[in-house]
């Protein structure tokens, strides 16, 4: 153990030299290494230095000296040594009675140097195949390393030739998961595919859609860049700029590229979030350059603040800040490999007997003058000895140690050549291993996907803490689990906006100009009948125009208002009131006429026909009520049919009355005879109503009315579609023909006795009906909307009230208030006055004596019709009644005499 401590002491001595001069150069023909004997040798390749000196331009093969000591590489190497010491004392190795040794080489973060180191490791295996195998050391059964992906890719191709298992602790390039090209490569960390997915998920959580990317020009940087961009585009995250830095930190182009990158960051103030896969040294140079440019431009140092999303390559390196404070840099959110049990890992590394011996030997071997420097060196190493830093190395050593123990069960592995590297590789791929009481197993691609710890840098009195874990990322379901104490830390990130354009609010959509990033857009209001219900929608959603609508710039659809001629409408209430009043009046008149059925006025009004008319008016008023309310199938079919048949019955009764008048005052014997034969009241009424019923039945059968919804831009109008407007017109036209016939016939008898004259009232009611329905047609055709049913309802009410007022109200007035006129004597007196008036002003025409006599007889019979109406007005009952009275007989004779002496009188 003493000589091992001496080798490590050389590393510490080199570390001191770097602290004093800034760089160290080790010359020689061999790669500097640390070794320890054992039955099984494990190789290790660690970047103890950050680069090599490339100033030597010789064409001859030569070993380039390593420069820029890297504390993290030393800590990882020490972690490997410490873990091997621990495993040698563990039951798996003590049970098979073997020990592990190691051979650790410095890759100097250079591929060529790493290849030379790998060649030295493989040489041990080739040595045993030669004739002088007794002079060779133990062959290497496995290799732990390398650190960066480009180096691991190079040495993996070498190790694959001998199928020597290679277990990396920090190489994350996705290509290394391809087992067809790298069958011997394994790693104790996830690949970059999961890290970039975690970063994109973080950006999406905080809605940062306009970001910059900084990476290195190598397998690791290029792979991470490609995967990040592809995943970010899926989530709608745009990359404002990409800056690719040289892989080597000592490259001649580093300074110019860093300067250009800093200028790009300053020129994009909207980019408040930058994702970086660069090396720690790159970031240190970049921060310093941004500060210089900010001060040169005369800007506030706070303008350089950004949110820096750090990859595993530099998220734990607090040295990147240089002479800046965390307030100058901004917020740093880092992703580090899962560290397992932090306390256990820390204990194995810091408090182990190996490390205590190392610190003791270091103090004893150093002069007192260097005590302060030694203390600083130890403290510096302690900063890097964190569980997250060394846990993946511990896992690699533990996996190999337990695989070796499994292979050596049942065989003597102390003999050289008793075990082959490929056997260890097979066991590593198939078996589980344990660390800190937990079991792990490599997946089919040779990876361990334990997820990531999300850290957030914190400043405490000038000291920066880079290992505060605020969340854990789970690659299985792409989710974060936040720590209880992380809420306040993450709260500061929520107010940070990193967008090319301001968010489009609900009611707007994003419109991207051609050739621009999809994240750079202008917000346009949604058009009518389109809406957006969340922020930053790419397009507006369409409303269901059958039942919804939306105004311009709407965030939701509005249900279309359902309109119909409702019961609550004020106009409907008025019309319904008139309908109800009409029904009541018709019933009251019917009751009055039924009570006064034997009086001359009621008998003259038609007797039973008047009851039929009143019944039809009640039905017509009821049909008007059906025009109000939300339409349904029954309502649509019933309202027109009820009105058509009921009003046809009413007009048919009026037609009978007009024919009766014509018959009573028709003095042409031939025409009178024709009228007598045609005049069958109930047959006429039945035929007229039957024809209208036939029209309605054909209408209902062939093309009946139905409920119809008119979809307006903002409303739904429900009404009844008449089905066939031709049938509707025929129904109304049929009633109009009957009404016109009534009007013509009644107009000819308009000069009957004033108190009992039906003709005048029939003329006026039919004229009112015809005018109202003639006006209805253009109004109905040109009107649309909720009040269309009201148009027909108004015309129906006008028609009904016209008949009720003209035919029944005057008679009711006489019955109730002029009772003296509702007697036989008053009726005879009226007839006498009318006959006297007509005989005083006759119209003269040529006629024979026989014709005059016949006409005189008809004249008497005509008046007798109005005197006491019987069941059949054409019978001689009126004459018989008249003959019973002496006065009536005189009037009769006088009338005949006057008529005979004069020419024929016509009314």
């Amino acid at each position: 153990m003493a000589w091992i401590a001496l080798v490590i002491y050389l590393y510490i001595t080199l570390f001191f030299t770097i602290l004093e001069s800034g760089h160290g150069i080790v010359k020689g023909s061999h790669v500097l290494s640390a070794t320890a004997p054992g039955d099984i040798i494990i190789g290790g390749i660690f970047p103890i230095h950050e680069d090599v000196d490339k100033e030597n331009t010789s064409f001859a093969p030569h070993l380039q000296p390593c420069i820029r000591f890297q504390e993290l590489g030393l800590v990882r190497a020490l972690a490997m040594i410490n873990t091997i010491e621990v495993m040698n004392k563990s039951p798996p190795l003590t049970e098979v009675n073997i020990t592990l040794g190691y051979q650790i080489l410095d890759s100097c973060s250079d591929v060529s140097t790493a290849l030379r180191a790998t060649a030295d490791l493989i040489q041990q295996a080739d040595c045993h195949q030669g004739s002088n195998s007794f002079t060779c050391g133990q062959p290497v059964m496995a290799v732990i390393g390398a650190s960066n992906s480009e180096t691991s890719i190079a040495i993996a191709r070498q190790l694959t030739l001998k199928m020597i298992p290679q277990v990396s602790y920090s190489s994350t390039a996705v290509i290394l998961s391809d087992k067809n090209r790298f069958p011997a490569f394994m790693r104790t960390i996830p690949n970059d595919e999961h890290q970039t997915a975690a970063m994109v998920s973080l950006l999406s959580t905080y809605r940062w859609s306009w970001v910059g990317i900084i990476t290195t020009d190598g397998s690791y940087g290029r792979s991470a860049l490609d995967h990040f961009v592809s995943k970010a585009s899926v989530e709608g995250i745009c990359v404002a700029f990409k800056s690719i830095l040289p892989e080597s930190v000592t490259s001649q182009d580093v300074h110019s590229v860093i300067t250009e990158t800093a200028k790009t960051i300053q020129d994009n103030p909207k980019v408040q979030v930058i994702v970086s896969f660069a090396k720690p040294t790159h970031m240190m140079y970049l921060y310093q350059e941004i500060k210089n440019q900010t001060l040169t431009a005369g800007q506030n140092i706070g303008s350089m603040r950004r949110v820096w999303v750090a990859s595993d390559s530099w998220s734990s390196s607090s040295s990147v800040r240089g002479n800046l404070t965390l307030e100058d840099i901004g917020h740093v959110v880092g992703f580090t490999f899962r560290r397992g049990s932090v306390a256990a890992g820390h204990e194995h590394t810091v408090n182990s007997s190996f490390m205590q011996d190392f610190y003791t030997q270091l103090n004893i071997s150093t002069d007192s003058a260097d005590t302060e420097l030694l203390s600083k060196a130890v403290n510096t190493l302690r900063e890097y000895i964190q569980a997250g830093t060394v846990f993946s190395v511990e896992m690699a050593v533990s996996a190999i140690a337990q695989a070796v123990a499994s292979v050596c069960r049942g065989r003597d592995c102390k003999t050289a050549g008793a075990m082959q590297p490929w056997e260890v590789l097979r066991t590593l791929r198939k078996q589980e291993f344990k660390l800190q009481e937990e079991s792990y197993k490599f997946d089919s691609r040779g990876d361990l996907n334990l997820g990531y710890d999300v850290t957030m840098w914190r400043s405490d009195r000038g000291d920066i803490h880079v290992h505060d874990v605020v969340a854990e990322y789970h690659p299985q379901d792409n989710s974060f689990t936040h720590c209880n104490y992380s809420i306040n830390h993450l709260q500061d990130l929520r107010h940070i906006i990193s967008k090319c354009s301001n968010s489009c609010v609900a009611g707007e959509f994003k419109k991207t100009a051609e050739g621009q990033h999809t994240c750079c857009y202008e917000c346009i209001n949604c058009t009518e009948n389109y809406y957006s219900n969340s922020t930053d929608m790419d397009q507006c959603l369409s409303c269901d125009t059958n039942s919804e609508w939306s105004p311009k710039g709407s965030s939701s659809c509005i249900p279309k208002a359902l309109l119909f001629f409702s019961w609550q409408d004020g106009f409907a209430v008025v019309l319904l009131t008139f309908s109800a009043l009409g029904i009541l009046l018709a019933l009251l008149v019917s009751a009055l006429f039924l009570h006064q059925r034997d009086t001359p006025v009621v008998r003259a009004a038609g007797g039973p026909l008047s009851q039929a008319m009143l019944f039809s008016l009640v039905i017509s008023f009821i049909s008007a009520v059906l025009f109000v309310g939300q339409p349904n199938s029954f309502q649509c079919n019933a309202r027109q049919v009820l009105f058509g048949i009921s009003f046809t019955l009413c007009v048919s009764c009026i037609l009978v009355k007009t024919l009766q008048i014509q018959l009573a005052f028709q003095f042409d014997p031939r025409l009178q005879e024709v009228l007598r034969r045609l005049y069958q009241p109930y047959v006429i009424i039945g035929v007229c109503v039957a024809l209208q019923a036939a029209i309605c039945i054909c209408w209902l059968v062939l093309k009946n009315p139905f409920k119809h919804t008119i979809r307006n831009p903002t409303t739904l109008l429900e009404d009844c579609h008449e089905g066939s407007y031709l049938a509707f017109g025929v129904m109304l036209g049929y009633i109009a023909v009957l009404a016109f016939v009534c009007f013509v016939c009644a107009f000819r008898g308009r000069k009957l006795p004033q108190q009992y004259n039906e003709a005048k009232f029939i003329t006026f009611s039919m004229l009112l009906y015809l005018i109202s329905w003639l006006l209805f047609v253009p109004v109905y055709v040109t009107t649309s909307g909720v009040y269309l049913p009201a148009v027909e309802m108004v015309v129906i009410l006008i028609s009904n009230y016209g008949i009720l007022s003209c035919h029944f109200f005057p008679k009711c007035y006489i019955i109730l208030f002029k009772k003296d006129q509702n007697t036989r004597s008053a009726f005879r007196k009226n007839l006498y006055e009318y006959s006297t008036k007509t005989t005083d002003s006759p119209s003269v025409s040529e006629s024979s004596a026989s014709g005059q006599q016949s006409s005189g007889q008809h004249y008497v019979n005509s008046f007798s019709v109005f005197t006491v109406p019987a069941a059949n007005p054409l019978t001689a009952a009126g004459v018989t009644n008249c003959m019973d009275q002496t006065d009536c007989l005189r009037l009769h004779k006088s009338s005949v005499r006057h008529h005979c002496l004069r020419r024929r009188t016509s009314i």
Side-chain angles (χ1 to χ4, degrees), residues 25-192:
I25 300 175
V26 180
K27 297 182 179 180
S29 59
H30 301 285
V31 177
L32 191 61
S33 65
T35 60
D39 299 320
I40 303 297
I41 302 299
I42 300 177
I45 298 179
F46 294 90
I48 308 299
H49 293 82
E50 194 174 4
D51 209 342
V52 295
D53 187 359
K54 298 182 176 63
E55 293 182 357
N56 191 336
T57 59
S58 173
F59 289 99
H62 62 281
L63 180 64
Q64 294 175 314
C66 300
I67 59 174
R68 304 175 66 87
F69 187 81
Q70 190 166 251
E71 297 87 343
L72 180 59
L74 175 60
V75 169
R76 284 173 171 168
L78 293 175
M80 174 181 170
I81 296 172
N82 179 64
T83 307
I84 289 176
E85 292 293 330
V86 172
M87 293 304 299
N88 281 336
K89 299 175 183 178
S90 64
L93 293 182
T94 57
E95 289 175 359
V96 295
N97 193 26
I98 61 173
T99 58
L100 299 179
Y102 55 83
Q103 184 176 358
I104 300 176
L105 303 175
D106 184 8
S107 67
C108 301
S109 303
D110 177 65
V111 175
S112 299
T113 304
L115 288 173
R116 288 191 177 90
T118 306
D120 289 345
L121 297 177
I122 295 177
Q123 184 179 3
Q124 298 295 330
D126 293 337
C127 179
H128 284 273
Q129 298 177 3
S131 57
N132 298 325
S133 60
F134 62 91
T135 62
C136 300
Q138 287 289 88
V140 174
M141 290 293 108
V143 175
I144 295 177
S147 177
N148 61 72
S149 298
E150 188 165 4
T151 303
S152 291
I153 291 172
I155 66 175
R157 300 187 186 278
Q158 279 186 294
L159 296 175
T160 298
L161 297 176
K162 301 294 182 181
M163 293 302 289
I164 299 175
Q166 174 189 358
V167 184
S168 176
Y169 47 83
S170 65
S171 296
T172 58
V174 179
I175 190 176
L176 290 168
S177 295
D178 187 353
K179 296 299 103 179
N180 291 324
R181 287 186 281 184
F182 307 100
F185 180 83
M186 307 171 76
R187 52 187 162 196
T188 57
I189 54 173
N191 62 40
D192 276 333

Side-chain angles (χ1 to χ4, degrees), residues 127-422:
C127 179
H128 284 273
Q129 298 177 3
S131 57
N132 298 325
S133 60
F134 62 91
T135 62
C136 300
Q138 287 289 88
V140 174
M141 290 293 108
V143 175
I144 295 177
S147 177
N148 61 72
S149 298
E150 188 165 4
T151 303
S152 291
I153 291 172
I155 66 175
R157 300 187 186 278
Q158 279 186 294
L159 296 175
T160 298
L161 297 176
K162 301 294 182 181
M163 293 302 289
I164 299 175
Q166 174 189 358
V167 184
S168 176
Y169 47 83
S170 65
S171 296
T172 58
V174 179
I175 190 176
L176 290 168
S177 295
D178 187 353
K179 296 299 103 179
N180 291 324
R181 287 186 281 184
F182 307 100
F185 180 83
M186 307 171 76
R187 52 187 162 196
T188 57
I189 54 173
N191 62 40
D192 276 333
E193 188 176 31
H194 300 292
Q195 181 173 219
T196 54
M199 290 178 170
V200 170
S201 181
L202 176 70
L203 298 179
S204 299
T205 301
Y206 291 96
R207 298 186 177 183
W208 295 328
S209 59
W210 191 236
V211 300
I213 297 181
I214 300 173
T215 187
T216 55
D217 188 9
S219 299
Y220 166 75
R222 293 285 185 177
S223 174
L225 175 63
D226 293 341
H227 281 85
F228 178 85
V229 171
S230 63
K231 293 180 183 298
S233 62
V234 174
E235 297 296 327
I237 298 172
C238 301
V239 178
F241 60 85
K242 306 171 187 176
S243 180
I244 301 177
L245 309 179
E247 178 74 15
S248 174
V249 295
T250 60
S251 172
Q252 296 179 353
D253 299 329
V254 167
H255 181 71
S256 60
V257 176
I258 290 290
T259 302
E260 185 63 28
T261 301
K263 185 177 184 302
T264 301
I265 294 173
Q266 293 291 85
D267 292 341
N268 289 272
K270 289 187 176 182
V271 179
Q272 289 295 308
V273 178
I274 299 175
V275 180
S276 175
F277 298 94
K279 293 181 177 181
T281 305
H282 286 138
M283 295 306 300
M284 183 176 63
Y285 291 162
L286 179 61
Y287 285 146
Q288 190 60 47
E289 181 62 28
I290 294 175
K291 177 183 178 181
N292 294 338
Q293 291 188 11
T294 301
L295 295 177
T296 302
Q299 298 176 355
N300 191 326
I301 195 68
S303 63
M304 66 176 287
R305 290 171 57 86
R306 298 290 190 276
V307 175
W308 301 89
V309 180
S311 70
D312 60 273
S313 61
W314 67 278
S315 59
S316 299
S317 301
S318 60
S319 60
V320 300
R321 68 185 179 96
N323 60 354
L324 296 174
T325 63
L326 188 58
E327 287 72 18
D328 299 332
I329 296 174
H331 301 281
V332 179
V333 180
F335 287 85
T336 61
F337 305 124
R338 290 288 299 277
R339 59 191 63 188
S341 176
V342 176
H346 188 79
E347 180 180 355
H348 285 319
T349 306
V350 178
N351 298 325
S352 66
S353 59
F354 174 80
M355 291 303 299
Q356 294 296 335
D357 291 342
F358 168 71
Y359 294 143
T360 301
Q361 291 292 331
L362 190 60
N363 287 323
I364 294 174
S365 303
T366 306
D367 296 336
S368 58
D370 296 329
T371 301
E372 183 180 353
L373 187 60
L374 286 173
S375 178
K376 184 176 180 181
V378 172
N379 292 332
T380 302
L381 288 178
R382 283 182 179 273
E383 291 180 5
Y384 288 91
I385 302 176
Q386 299 292 335
T389 306
V390 301
F391 183 66
S392 56
V393 177
E394 293 178 350
M395 292 185 71
V397 175
S398 299
I400 294 173
Q402 294 177 43
V404 168
S406 179
V407 173
C408 290
R409 288 190 178 93
R411 71 172 75 176
D412 183 13
C413 291
K414 291 181 176 292
T415 305
M419 180 176 60
Q420 297 299 320
W422 61 267

Side-chain angles (χ1 to χ4, degrees), residues 510-538:
K510 299 187 297 185
K511 182 180 181 181
T512 305
E514 186 177 356
Q516 287 186 346
H517 285 281
T518 56
C519 297
C520 300
Y521 49 81
E522 59 178 326
C523 297
I524 306 297
N525 283 332
C526 295
T527 57
E528 293 182 356
N529 294 326
Y530 287 86
Y531 73 100
S532 62
N533 55 6
S534 62
T535 58
D536 293 334
M537 292 189 66
D538 294 324

Side-chain angles (χ1 to χ4, degrees), residues 634-671:
F634 169 78
Q635 190 175 343
C636 293
N637 286 277
R639 64 183 191 179
Q640 297 290 5
V641 173
L642 279 179
F643 168 71
I645 295 177
S646 63
F647 207 78
T648 300
L649 174 60
C650 183
V651 176
S652 299
C653 294
I654 296 175
L655 179 62
V656 169
K657 284 190 175 186
T658 58
L659 290 177
Q660 178 181 316
I661 295 172
Q662 287 295 311
L663 182 60
F665 295 97
Q666 180 54 253
F667 303 132
D668 187 347
R670 290 170 297 180
L671 185 57

